[in-house]
Amino acid sequence: MPDMSVYILTLRCMNRPGIVAAISSTLFGAGCDITEAQQFDAWESRSFFMRVVFRMPVHAAAETTLRDAVATMAREFEMHWTLRARAQPTRTVLMVSRFDHCLVDLLYRWRIGELSIDPVAIIANHPRETYADIDFGDIAFHYLPVTAATRPVQEARIWDIVSGTGAELVVLARYMQVLSDSLVSRLAGRCINIHHSFLPGFKGARPYHQAFARGVKLIGATAHFVTGDLDEGPIIEQDVERISHADSPDDLVRKGRDIERRVLARAVRYFTECRIIPDGRKTIVFSA
Amino acid sequence: MPDMSVYILTLRCMNRPGIVAAISSTLFGAGCDITEAQQFDAWESRSFFMRVVFRMPVHAAAETTLRDAVATMAREFEMHWTLRARAQPTRTVLMVSRFDHCLVDLLYRWRIGELSIDPVAIIANHPRETYADIDFGDIAFHYLPVTAATRPVQEARIWDIVSGTGAELVVLARYMQVLSDSLVSRLAGRCINIHHSFLPGFKGARPYHQAFARGVKLIGATAHFVTGDLDEGPIIEQDVERISHADSPDDLVRKGRDIERRVLARAVRYFTECRIIPDGRKTIVFSA
Amino acid sequence: MPDMSVYILTLRCMNRPGIVAAISSTLFGAGCDITEAQQFDAWESRSFFMRVVFRMPVHAAAETTLRDAVATMAREFEMHWTLRARAQPTRTVLMVSRFDHCLVDLLYRWRIGELSIDPVAIIANHPRETYADIDFGDIAFHYLPVTAATRPVQEARIWDIVSGTGAELVVLARYMQVLSDSLVSRLAGRCINIHHSFLPGFKGARPYHQAFARGVKLIGATAHFVTGDLDEGPIIEQDVERISHADSPDDLVRKGRDIERRVLARAVRYFTECRIIPDGRKTIVFSA
Amino acid sequence: MPDMSVYILTLRCMNRPGIVAAISSTLFGAGCDITEAQQFDAWESRSFFMRVVFRMPVHAAAETTLRDAVATMAREFEMHWTLRARAQPTRTVLMVSRFDHCLVDLLYRWRIGELSIDPVAIIANHPRETYADIDFGDIAFHYLPVTAATRPVQEARIWDIVSGTGAELVVLARYMQVLSDSLVSRLAGRCINIHHSFLPGFKGARPYHQAFARGVKLIGATAHFVTGDLDEGPIIEQDVERISHADSPDDLVRKGRDIERRVLARAVRYFTECRIIPDGRKTIVFSA
């Protein structure tokens, strides 16, 4: 029996009969063995979404041959598609401001092999000593402070790092600076933010203090793709925790840290496992 | 040993040293035995809140004597207070529109003795046949249809029923008509609504369709006191359930029904057990 | 465009390459349009499971033709399979003892069209007056009291009702009598029980009292298929709720009712929507 | 106005009238101002439990005077009691085996000031290089490998460290060795373990594999006090997460890590804030 390598195919197209038959025939014809498949038929937009995990025999031209076959089929159905070897980690830039709980958590999950990222750079708008307790190992650290006046220059540096490292994903791990529309559009579909509230509940600054003032009984966090419309990007994952009148704003911040780090870690994992397919203002997340 | 009767005392005042000592001395002096006590010190408003459950020997003048003692103490601390025999059910008016899942649920919980209400009337803006499958037993049913033009007259009828029955609580169990400011102010602090979204997320009409359009990953419901500022009254209880891209608006409505009925039932139970103390825009809920 | 009818196909077989291709080709060849598909590859048993929802043009011989095509394919892969029109409600017998919260809940969900069952009979070991508040409408009610001595006779009556009504599903909605191995085996794979604890935590009688004695911080309920090994049948659905030291056994029973009814309702819905495929001691549940 | 210092008093005694009055009078008499109080009346054992947080003016003999006053009152009611300055961190020994996610998490929470512990030692049965990525700062690290033969000697070393450092708390942060009855009894009431299952569901070794084999739909973790009866000590905190048939044992282990670290962190926080009062086989946890 030949060695097998695992791939993940995602695709999106207008729905019409025969898509699944075409995909499964194409993969079967290439000697592949499907082990997981998830699909979704969005009746409102008449769109079809699919994620397929399969094993393929390892030989010299295997991936090229497969890509050609998928491309041929994709043309017929006008599909948007991605194909990725599951073993290949996602090249990731991590951005952070003063609070480092999400950063520390992502790095820990990466170190123990839970998260299949390759952290190619850390960008912070605070100096290295802010994170004195964290061992960044070999990961390049960039201190890029920013003011209104220096934003264009700072963002040019960010873009140099992202493009220079070939980053496939940028994670705003409690990076508290607003990105310009121009940078956001260049990072479209590959920049994930963690908003420290349960959107669309409390947009803008200091959401835990807003939640306290309003007297809600649950607080939450939201991981979403970054778009020009702040706090309105497509939502990837959310979670909540129960609070009461007895929780002070500081308690909310403390409980919030736990929610933020687990929501962001899930969103990053979904991204690295090709579980997220954008759908306009929304996302399809094939979460398990 | 004498027969004992259980009472619940709630109070609110400005915080200062000696309150708890005064309360416990007063109750101890009246022969009472405290079995539960919860308190909260709201640092922001410098207010103090307390709920005390206690047993009192049953004899002719016991409650009167106790009320006098509490009143004397309350004057000293300028307390707002309530005292209620736990065994006494809360006289309740239930209001409903077309969807009856909350109404049916509350009536079931009442029938099996879970909810200590005395349902003195049901008011609906749909006719009796809309609820053909529900056995209302001896509860008076009032069909009060309403249009913009007839609202004043209809609300006068509502008020007659509320005041005529001596109702202590009005529950809007998916009653989908907006009440006038005038009626709302007369029901202040004793009218509970279930809003079918996780406030402040999706205010206004058709919140599940709003949630679907926005692509959130959790939906919820909110029980709150009704105030003139619609969807902004003090929140009593909230809960959520996980959804995904695969849930249609109809699925959200179905999942929502489960959340709505359990959130509303909890809020009503908290009210009947004197667990809620209003605090401006917020509530103190001594929930367990 | 022809009228379309929705069908659900489920299947199980040993895994090998080409299954998905064969299924999608078969359905495509029959003019069907797949709208949902879920699959699972159980590496431990090398089994493959799939659920496919599809639209089929309505014409005279359509279902027969399709069944023949599926049967031919199924023989090749040695599949176990089921095919069902989604619009067809599941003929269901509901069994109950003294506590009726699950029964009332299932009937309510059926009445508002949430649950696609056809309740063909209610069997109780308590007399009709125990459920005086419930309107059973046209559903046949059978009072079948039971003692150790009369069990064989009573179970023969149960079996007569099940087979006489052509019931596809038997729901033990807090029916507190143990069924004999003989009856259990005749109901294999189509009898769902709600156990009022989070299995395998507290098996046997009075689980909430066991939970209280042990001091756990969460209680739960479990819906499972009934097997000869009591409390050990394949689990379909579970849920929990938080409790504290302040909850009495009565409080646990109250909170438990809410969990039981929502867990059982979900399990019944999964069954009627062909979302459950048995896998030895476990179940595959394509829940969303 | 004098400087104020915050103290926490916990107590337990047989219930009888007048306890709360005595406590509040005693504290009021000592110039203290109660800011939080929680109490519980355990009807089954007729025991009374209370936790009181209060501010006390800072002056030379304040704490001594207060201790004398509390002791006098405590004798009258035969109370077990503790009194602690809230600002004083809990001297804590952390024990760990190969998996370090709980250890890393506790240290992070300590570093950012979330957890009021003073980590006086780390004890591991694996060598320092197992934790090469963790910066232990100034915390003493002890590598104490153990076999059946060396257990008595190893445990003598553990005890030396615990008593030598004056540790008030020992946390088994995924320390996978069974402690002897002798050591356990010396650590009674101050040794917390995290069991990686939802007790009493899956006791013993490899609980996630047990959960997988049984096909449960939720997995959990349990923090409990260690007693001689393994996996049976009083439970402090539990939590769960949803799983499905699609989760492999490795997925359960991954999801389990998240539950374990948050359950253990909560239990440790409750301990440091004097929120836990033992009650035989159970615990009273005044959690908020």
Side-chain angles (χ1 to χ4, degrees):
Chain A
M1 193 172 163
D3 276 355
M4 303 292 269
S5 186
V6 177
Y7 283 81
I8 306 173
L9 172 70
T10 73
L11 57 89
R12 169 181 181 165
C13 60
M14 292 306 288
N15 202 0
R16 68 181 221 217
I19 301 174
V20 176
I23 294 164
S24 50
S25 300
T26 301
L27 293 177
F28 186 53
C32 301
D33 180 19
I34 294 175
T35 58
E36 272 182 71
Q38 293 143 306
Q39 66 185 65
F40 176 61
D41 174 11
W43 54 269
E44 41 160 16
S45 61
R46 305 200 43 240
S47 300
F48 178 83
F49 303 83
M50 194 166 193
R51 174 183 184 262
V52 188
V53 184
F54 56 91
R55 285 187 289 253
M56 186 167 61
V58 174
H59 60 79
E63 189 176 326
T64 308
T65 307
L66 178 68
R67 281 191 183 274
D68 288 348
V70 170
T72 302
M73 172 193 69
R75 262 191 302 274
E76 189 192 330
F77 290 91
E78 298 180 68
M79 290 172 178
H80 298 266
W81 60 283
T82 68
L83 179 69
R84 185 182 187 85
R86 193 173 63 182
Q88 182 188 334
T90 302
R91 297 178 67 78
T92 303
V93 168
L94 300 164
M95 297 182 64
V96 68
S97 292
R98 190 157 67 89
F99 298 115
D100 59 16
H101 51 283
C102 285
L103 176 68
V104 166
D105 184 64
L106 292 173
L107 290 175
Y108 179 76
R109 292 179 195 265
W110 161 63
R111 278 201 172 112
I112 65 171
E114 178 179 312
L115 216 48
S116 181
I117 57 172
D118 176 7
V120 291
I122 293 165
I123 297 174
N125 63 329
H126 289 254
R128 181 65 181 88
E129 53 266 32
T130 305
Y131 321 98
D133 290 321
I134 317 178
D135 175 6
F136 289 143
D138 297 331
I139 310 169
F141 176 87
H142 305 271
Y143 168 41
L144 301 183
V146 60
T147 64
T150 63
R151 186 172 312 274
V153 177
Q154 192 240 20
E155 291 200 346
R157 290 287 314 279
I158 294 173
W159 179 249
D160 284 350
I161 293 165
V162 169
S163 53
T165 56
E168 301 162 289
L169 173 64
V170 174
V171 179
L172 307 188
R174 293 297 306 265
Y175 179 74
M176 306 306 284
Q177 298 292 320
V178 175
L179 304 183
S180 70
D181 283 356
S182 150
L183 183 55
V184 163
S185 70
R186 276 179 292 174
L187 297 175
R190 56 179 171 136
C191 181
I192 295 176
N193 184 40
I194 180 75
H195 187 84
H196 48 316
S197 95
F198 186 71
L199 290 177
F202 299 107
K203 301 177 192 173
R206 294 168 64 82
Y208 293 128
H209 291 78
Q210 291 184 56
F212 178 79
R214 181 65 180 88
V216 291
K217 303 302 185 185
L218 296 166
I219 53 163
T222 303
H224 62 95
F225 283 119
V226 175
T227 61
D229 194 354
L230 193 68
D231 299 343
E232 289 288 347
I235 292 171
I236 300 168
E237 172 66 355
Q238 303 189 285
D239 211 343
V240 295
E241 209 151 296
R242 189 161 283 274
I243 60 166
S244 82
H245 61 268
D247 285 294
S248 68
D250 282 354
D251 292 324
L252 301 197
V253 169
R254 170 176 55 75
K255 291 189 173 182
R257 278 194 298 265
D258 272 33
I259 315 173
E260 291 161 30
R261 63 186 200 172
R262 74 171 182 262
V263 167
L264 182 58
R266 276 188 212 138
V268 171
R269 186 167 61 79
Y270 294 158
F271 189 94
T272 64
E273 297 175 358
C274 306
R275 293 180 180 278
I276 313 171
I277 308 183
D279 177 26
R281 284 185 65 203
K282 310 184 5 182
T283 62
I284 309 303
V285 180
F286 292 119
S287 63
Chain B
M1 194 172 164
D3 277 355
M4 303 293 268
S5 187
V6 178
Y7 283 81
I8 306 173
L9 172 69
T10 73
L11 57 89
R12 170 182 182 166
C13 61
M14 293 305 288
N15 202 0
R16 67 183 222 215
I19 301 173
V20 176
I23 294 164
S24 52
S25 301
T26 301
L27 293 178
F28 187 54
C32 302
D33 180 16
I34 295 175
T35 57
E36 274 181 70
Q38 293 143 305
Q39 65 186 66
F40 176 61
D41 175 10
W43 55 268
E44 42 162 13
S45 60
R46 304 199 46 240
S47 301
F48 178 83
F49 303 84
M50 193 164 194
R51 174 182 184 263
V52 189
V53 184
F54 55 91
R55 286 187 289 254
M56 186 166 62
V58 175
H59 60 79
E63 188 176 326
T64 308
T65 308
L66 178 68
R67 281 191 183 273
D68 288 348
V70 171
T72 301
M73 173 195 66
R75 264 191 301 275
E76 190 192 331
F77 289 92
E78 299 181 66
M79 290 170 177
H80 298 267
W81 59 283
T82 68
L83 179 67
R84 184 182 188 89
R86 194 174 62 183
Q88 183 188 332
T90 302
R91 296 177 68 79
T92 303
V93 168
L94 300 164
M95 296 181 65
V96 66
S97 292
R98 190 157 65 88
F99 298 115
D100 59 17
H101 52 283
C102 285
L103 176 68
V104 166
D105 185 63
L106 292 173
L107 291 175
Y108 180 75
R109 293 178 195 267
W110 161 63
R111 277 196 174 117
I112 65 170
E114 177 181 314
L115 215 48
S116 180
I117 58 172
D118 176 7
V120 292
I122 293 165
I123 297 173
N125 62 330
H126 290 254
R128 181 65 183 87
E129 53 266 32
T130 305
Y131 321 98
D133 290 321
I134 317 179
D135 174 6
F136 289 144
D138 297 330
I139 310 169
F141 176 86
H142 304 273
Y143 167 41
L144 301 183
V146 63
T147 64
T150 64
R151 187 173 311 275
V153 177
Q154 192 238 22
E155 291 201 346
R157 289 287 315 277
I158 294 174
W159 179 249
D160 284 349
I161 294 165
V162 169
S163 52
T165 56
E168 302 162 287
L169 173 64
V170 174
V171 179
L172 307 187
R174 294 296 307 265
Y175 179 74
M176 306 305 284
Q177 296 293 319
V178 175
L179 304 183
S180 70
D181 283 357
S182 150
L183 182 56
V184 163
S185 70
R186 276 180 290 176
L187 297 175
R190 55 177 170 138
C191 181
I192 296 177
N193 184 40
I194 180 74
H195 188 84
H196 48 316
S197 96
F198 187 71
L199 292 176
F202 299 107
K203 301 177 192 172
R206 293 171 62 86
Y208 293 127
H209 292 77
Q210 292 184 55
F212 178 79
R214 182 65 181 86
V216 292
K217 303 302 186 184
L218 296 166
I219 54 162
T222 304
H224 63 95
F225 283 119
V226 175
T227 62
D229 194 354
L230 193 69
D231 298 343
E232 289 288 348
I235 292 171
I236 299 167
E237 172 67 354
Q238 302 188 286
D239 211 342
V240 295
E241 209 149 297
R242 190 162 283 274
I243 59 165
S244 82
H245 60 268
D247 285 295
S248 68
D250 281 353
D251 291 325
L252 302 198
V253 169
R254 170 176 54 76
K255 291 188 174 184
R257 278 195 298 265
D258 271 32
I259 316 174
E260 291 162 30
R261 63 186 199 174
R262 75 173 182 260
V263 166
L264 182 58
R266 277 188 211 137
V268 171
R269 186 167 61 79
Y270 294 158
F271 189 93
T272 64
E273 296 175 358
C274 306
R275 293 180 179 278
I276 312 171
I277 308 182
D279 178 26
R281 283 186 65 203
K282 307 179 19 175
T283 62
I284 310 303
V285 180
F286 293 118
S287 62
Chain C
M1 197 172 159
D3 276 354
M4 303 293 270
S5 185
V6 178
Y7 282 81
I8 306 173
L9 171 70
T10 75
L11 57 89
R12 171 183 180 161
C13 61
M14 293 305 289
N15 203 359
R16 67 180 221 217
I19 301 173
V20 176
I23 294 164
S24 51
S25 300
T26 301
L27 293 177
F28 187 54
C32 302
D33 180 18
I34 295 176
T35 57
E36 273 182 70
Q38 293 142 307
Q39 65 185 66
F40 176 61
D41 175 12
W43 54 267
E44 43 161 14
S45 61
R46 305 198 45 238
S47 300
F48 178 83
F49 303 84
M50 193 163 192
R51 173 181 184 264
V52 188
V53 184
F54 55 91
R55 285 187 289 252
M56 186 167 62
V58 174
H59 60 80
E63 188 175 328
T64 308
T65 308
L66 178 69
R67 281 192 183 274
D68 287 348
V70 171
T72 302
M73 171 193 69
R75 264 190 302 276
E76 188 193 330
F77 290 91
E78 300 181 67
M79 289 171 177
H80 298 267
W81 60 282
T82 67
L83 178 69
R84 185 182 187 86
R86 194 173 64 182
Q88 182 187 335
T90 302
R91 297 178 68 79
T92 303
V93 167
L94 300 164
M95 297 181 63
V96 67
S97 292
R98 189 157 67 89
F99 298 115
D100 59 17
H101 52 282
C102 286
L103 176 67
V104 166
D105 184 63
L106 292 173
L107 290 175
Y108 180 75
R109 292 178 195 267
W110 161 63
R111 277 196 175 120
I112 64 170
E114 177 179 314
L115 216 49
S116 181
I117 57 172
D118 175 7
V120 292
I122 293 165
I123 298 174
N125 62 331
H126 289 254
R128 181 64 182 88
E129 53 266 32
T130 305
Y131 320 98
D133 289 321
I134 317 179
D135 174 7
F136 289 144
D138 296 330
I139 310 169
F141 176 86
H142 304 272
Y143 168 40
L144 300 183
V146 62
T147 64
T150 63
R151 186 172 310 276
V153 177
Q154 192 240 19
E155 291 200 345
R157 290 287 313 280
I158 294 174
W159 178 249
D160 284 349
I161 294 165
V162 169
S163 52
T165 56
E168 302 162 287
L169 173 64
V170 174
V171 179
L172 307 186
R174 293 296 306 265
Y175 179 75
M176 305 306 284
Q177 298 292 319
V178 176
L179 304 183
S180 71
D181 283 356
S182 151
L183 183 55
V184 163
S185 71
R186 276 179 291 174
L187 298 175
R190 56 177 170 138
C191 180
I192 295 177
N193 184 38
I194 179 75
H195 187 82
H196 47 316
S197 97
F198 186 71
L199 291 176
F202 299 107
K203 300 176 191 173
R206 291 170 64 84
Y208 292 127
H209 291 77
Q210 292 183 56
F212 179 79
R214 181 66 180 85
V216 292
K217 303 300 187 187
L218 295 166
I219 53 164
T222 303
H224 63 94
F225 282 120
V226 176
T227 61
D229 194 353
L230 193 67
D231 299 342
E232 290 287 348
I235 292 170
I236 300 167
E237 172 65 355
Q238 303 189 285
D239 211 341
V240 295
E241 208 149 299
R242 189 161 283 272
I243 59 167
S244 83
H245 59 268
D247 285 296
S248 68
D250 281 354
D251 291 325
L252 302 198
V253 168
R254 171 175 55 76
K255 291 189 174 182
R257 277 194 298 264
D258 272 31
I259 316 173
E260 291 161 30
R261 63 185 199 171
R262 74 172 181 259
V263 166
L264 182 58
R266 276 187 212 139
V268 171
R269 186 167 61 80
Y270 294 157
F271 189 93
T272 63
E273 296 176 358
C274 306
R275 294 180 179 278
I276 312 171
I277 309 182
D279 179 25
R281 284 185 64 205
K282 311 187 359 184
T283 60
I284 309 304
V285 180
F286 293 118
S287 61
Chain D
M1 196 171 161
D3 277 355
M4 304 292 270
S5 185
V6 178
Y7 283 81
I8 306 172
L9 172 70
T10 74
L11 56 89
R12 170 182 181 164
C13 61
M14 293 306 288
N15 203 359
R16 67 182 221 217
I19 300 173
V20 175
I23 293 164
S24 51
S25 299
T26 301
L27 293 177
F28 187 53
C32 301
D33 180 18
I34 295 175
T35 57
E36 273 182 70
Q38 294 143 306
Q39 65 185 64
F40 177 60
D41 175 11
W43 53 269
E44 43 161 13
S45 60
R46 304 199 46 239
S47 300
F48 178 82
F49 303 83
M50 194 164 193
R51 174 181 184 264
V52 188
V53 184
F54 55 92
R55 287 187 288 254
M56 186 167 62
V58 175
H59 59 80
E63 187 175 329
T64 309
T65 308
L66 178 68
R67 283 192 181 274
D68 288 349
V70 171
T72 302
M73 172 195 67
R75 263 192 301 274
E76 191 193 329
F77 289 92
E78 299 181 67
M79 289 171 177
H80 298 269
W81 60 284
T82 68
L83 179 68
R84 184 181 188 86
R86 194 174 61 183
Q88 184 188 333
T90 303
R91 298 177 68 78
T92 303
V93 168
L94 300 164
M95 297 182 63
V96 67
S97 292
R98 191 157 65 88
F99 297 116
D100 59 16
H101 52 282
C102 286
L103 176 68
V104 166
D105 184 63
L106 293 173
L107 291 175
Y108 179 75
R109 292 178 194 267
W110 160 65
R111 277 196 174 118
I112 64 169
E114 177 179 315
L115 217 48
S116 181
I117 57 172
D118 176 6
V120 292
I122 293 165
I123 297 175
N125 63 329
H126 290 254
R128 181 64 180 89
E129 53 266 33
T130 305
Y131 320 99
D133 289 322
I134 317 179
D135 175 6
F136 289 144
D138 296 331
I139 311 169
F141 177 86
H142 304 273
Y143 168 41
L144 301 183
V146 61
T147 64
T150 63
R151 185 172 311 275
V153 177
Q154 192 240 20
E155 290 201 346
R157 289 288 313 279
I158 294 174
W159 179 249
D160 284 350
I161 293 165
V162 169
S163 52
T165 57
E168 302 162 287
L169 173 64
V170 175
V171 179
L172 307 187
R174 293 296 308 263
Y175 179 74
M176 305 305 284
Q177 298 292 319
V178 175
L179 304 183
S180 70
D181 283 358
S182 151
L183 183 56
V184 163
S185 71
R186 276 180 290 174
L187 297 176
R190 55 178 170 136
C191 181
I192 295 177
N193 183 40
I194 180 74
H195 186 82
H196 47 316
S197 95
F198 187 71
L199 290 176
F202 300 106
K203 300 177 191 174
R206 293 170 62 83
Y208 292 127
H209 291 77
Q210 292 185 55
F212 178 79
R214 181 65 181 86
V216 292
K217 303 301 185 187
L218 295 167
I219 54 163
T222 304
H224 63 94
F225 282 120
V226 176
T227 61
D229 194 355
L230 193 69
D231 299 343
E232 290 288 350
I235 292 170
I236 300 167
E237 172 65 355
Q238 303 188 286
D239 211 342
V240 296
E241 208 151 296
R242 191 160 281 273
I243 59 166
S244 82
H245 61 269
D247 285 295
S248 68
D250 281 354
D251 291 325
L252 302 197
V253 168
R254 170 175 56 76
K255 291 189 172 181
R257 277 195 298 265
D258 271 33
I259 315 174
E260 291 162 29
R261 63 185 198 172
R262 75 170 180 260
V263 167
L264 182 58
R266 276 187 212 139
V268 171
R269 185 167 63 80
Y270 294 158
F271 189 93
T272 64
E273 296 176 358
C274 306
R275 294 180 179 277
I276 312 171
I277 309 182
D279 178 26
R281 285 184 64 203
K282 311 186 0 184
T283 61
I284 309 303
V285 180
F286 292 118
S287 62

